[in-house]
């Protein structure tokens, strides 16, 4: 028997319903694919912004800028903004130290979390109008392993005298990369005025951190440089006496080509770099003038000696000295010194050459 008209109409109705169901299903699949692709792309963008923000904040810490409100949050926000995220379309959260992850509680790391809302296209028809997209990254400071001696000028490295000299770490005497390139010379603006005073208790002449705008010459007696940054705009000459200082940085701005630093072998000098702040590990940083660092018996320098645009004439520490040294200069001349000459690599965490890295 043939189908009746009502049966045929019923089959067409069922087919229409089935087609509608399949169409909606396929439409959902298309919407899911499109929104899924957009979600994947947005997730990558948010994660890229978090990575950049964490590195940006870590760069501030590399420069010794650890203030949360003044340094870290603005740096992270600026670099997140380069990826299109700000407080109008995202939540940017900065934790220093991190509150989660492998580096939780570490003062040399910073955690950045970015959250934003993505507007769905097709899936909004099914009630899923928005979904949260988040990225997290941790930036931090890692010690580089620079050579003991880095020289930036071609043929700018030489050794004088007959004493053997074999550093226990690398020497790069030809157009080496600058391991301390991120360092910036501070100005005297806002710095205290350098002052010296006699201590009745110790019998020493105490030099306090600050800016010295007249030449400083030390010829005799006991002298102590107090911890902090000492800016010598007109140069420093230590010609005799006993000079000590721990936790110090000696800075020579490019204000006078003659305003360098001189240490004579008649003096006994024991100076050690600070291990904190922007100049952690840096003992002497000179932008102008030359440097002649001779060494008398009992003298030693611990820290980085950095003269990116000038010549350093330098007598290394004595053989067996526990003090470490790194040297980076346009040109380096290694001088003879009593007791031999030796360069010991910096211990991990003491080096001045630290870089901002993505830790998580």
């Amino acid at each position: 028997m043939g189908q009746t008209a009502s049966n045929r109409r019923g089959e067409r109705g069922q087919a229409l319903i089935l087609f509608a169901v399949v169409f909606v299903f396929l439409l959902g699949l298309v919407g899911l694919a499109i929104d899924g692709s957009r979600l994947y792309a947005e997730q990558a963008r948010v994660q890229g912004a978090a990575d950049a923000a964490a590195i940006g904040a870590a760069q501030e810490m590399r420069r010794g800028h650890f203030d949360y409100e003044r340094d870290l949050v603005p740096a992270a926000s600026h670099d997140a903004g380069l990826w299109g995220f700000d407080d109008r379309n995202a939540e940017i959260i900065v934790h220093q130290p991190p509150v989660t992850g492998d580096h939780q509680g570490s003062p040399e790391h910073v955690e950045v979390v970015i959250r934003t809302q993505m507007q769905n296209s097709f899936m909004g028809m099914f009630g899923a109008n928005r979904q949260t997209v988040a990225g997290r990254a941790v930036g931090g400071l890692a010690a580089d392993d620079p050579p003991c001696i880095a020289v930036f000028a071609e043929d700018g490295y030489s050794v004088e005298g007959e004493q053997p000299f074999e550093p226990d770490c690398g020497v790069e005497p030809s157009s080496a990369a600058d391991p301390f390139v991120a360092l910036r010379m501070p100005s005297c603006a806002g710095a205290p005025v350098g002052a010296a005073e006699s201590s009745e208790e110790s019998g020493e002449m105490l030099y306090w951190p600050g800016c010295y705008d007249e030449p400083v010459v030390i010829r005799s007696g006991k002298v102590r440089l107090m911890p902090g940054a000492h800016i010598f705009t007109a140069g420093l000459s230590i010609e005799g006496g006993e000079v000590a200082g721990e936790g110090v940085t000696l800075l020579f701005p490019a204000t006078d080509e003659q305003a360098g630093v001189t240490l004579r072998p008649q003096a006994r000098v024991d100076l050690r770099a600070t291990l904190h702040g922007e100049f952690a590990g840096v003992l002497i940083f000179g932008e102008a003038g030359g440097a002649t660092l001779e060494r008398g018996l009992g003298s030693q320098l611990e820290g980085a000696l950095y003269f990116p645009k000038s010549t350093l004439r330098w007598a290394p520490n004595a053989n067996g000295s526990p003090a470490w040294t790194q040297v980076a200069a346009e040109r380096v001349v290694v001088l003879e010194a009593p007791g031999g000459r030796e360069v010991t690599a910096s211990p991990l965490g003491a080096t001045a050459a630290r870089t901002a890295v993505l830790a998580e």
Side-chain angles (χ1 to χ4, degrees):
M1 294 177 61
Q3 290 183 323
T4 65
S6 61
N7 287 338
R8 287 196 295 271
R9 286 196 297 271
E11 289 179 357
R12 286 197 297 270
Q14 292 174 0
L16 184 60
I17 293 173
L18 180 62
F19 174 78
V21 171
V22 171
F23 178 78
V24 171
F25 177 74
L26 291 176
L27 186 62
L29 288 179
V30 171
L32 183 63
I34 293 175
D35 285 338
S37 297
R38 291 182 61 245
L39 176 62
Y40 180 83
E42 187 70 356
Q43 179 66 61
R45 192 168 75 96
V46 173
Q47 186 60 52
D51 292 347
I55 287 292
Q59 288 286 10
E60 287 300 305
M61 294 194 300
R62 167 64 188 86
R63 300 183 180 100
H65 303 154
F66 283 81
D67 188 274
Y68 180 80
E69 295 291 344
R70 185 186 65 231
D71 304 321
L72 303 184
V73 171
S77 299
H78 174 271
D79 284 15
L82 298 178
W83 287 73
F85 296 104
D86 55 32
D87 56 7
R88 294 171 298 181
N89 61 8
E91 184 182 16
I92 302 172
I93 304 168
V94 180
H95 297 294
Q96 197 280 326
V99 297
T100 62
D102 294 340
H103 296 88
Q104 181 177 351
S106 170
E108 292 199 334
H109 291 82
V110 58
E111 178 183 30
V112 177
V113 177
I114 298 179
R115 297 193 186 102
T116 188
Q117 296 291 319
M118 190 190 83
Q119 179 73 46
N120 286 323
S121 298
F122 287 88
M123 296 306 295
M125 295 185 298
F126 301 93
N129 295 318
R130 291 175 175 270
Q131 53 187 319
T132 300
V133 184
R136 173 188 175 274
V138 174
L141 301 180
D144 270 355
D145 186 20
C148 279
I149 302 174
V151 181
F152 310 134
E154 294 284 352
D155 302 322
Y157 174 74
S158 62
V159 178
E160 293 185 355
E162 298 179 357
Q163 288 177 331
F165 179 63
E166 296 181 357
D168 71 349
C169 49
V171 176
E172 294 187 7
S174 178
S175 300
D178 187 343
F180 310 125
V181 67
L183 293 180
R184 295 292 180 268
M185 180 67 68
S187 70
C188 284
V193 176
E197 63 178 2
S198 178
S199 169
E200 295 182 1
E201 181 179 349
S202 66
E204 297 173 311
M205 180 64 72
L206 306 180
Y207 281 77
W208 294 93
C211 184
Y212 293 83
D213 57 8
E214 297 290 337
V216 174
V217 181
I218 299 172
R219 295 189 173 91
S220 62
K222 291 186 176 181
V223 174
R224 180 167 298 277
L225 304 183
M226 303 304 288
H230 299 254
I231 306 173
F232 298 97
T233 62
L236 169 67
S237 180
I238 302 178
E239 300 177 0
E242 298 180 19
V243 180
E246 186 170 352
V248 299
T249 302
L250 281 56
L251 300 157
F252 299 86
T255 56
D256 186 342
E257 288 300 322
Q258 304 303 316
V261 54
T262 301
L263 307 184
R264 296 301 183 192
Q266 293 79 11
R268 180 171 179 172
V269 179
D270 186 355
L271 298 175
R272 301 171 187 270
T274 180
L275 298 180
H276 307 285
E278 180 176 5
F279 294 101
V282 178
L283 180 60
I284 306 178
F285 174 13
E287 280 188 328
T292 299
L293 308 180
E294 299 178 274
R295 176 171 58 77
L297 286 171
S299 293
Q300 62 182 4
L301 302 177
E302 180 169 278
L305 312 176
Y306 182 44
F307 296 87
K309 300 177 182 178
S310 56
T311 297
L312 170 63
R313 295 176 55 80
W314 159 66
N317 293 324
N319 292 335
S321 170
W324 62 269
T325 311
Q326 289 174 338
V327 172
E330 185 176 40
R331 292 178 172 80
V332 172
V333 179
V334 180
L335 306 174
E336 290 267 18
R341 47 192 181 183
E342 180 178 88
V343 180
T344 303
S346 65
L348 184 66
T351 177
R354 295 189 299 169
T355 55
V357 299
L358 196 62
E360 294 181 38

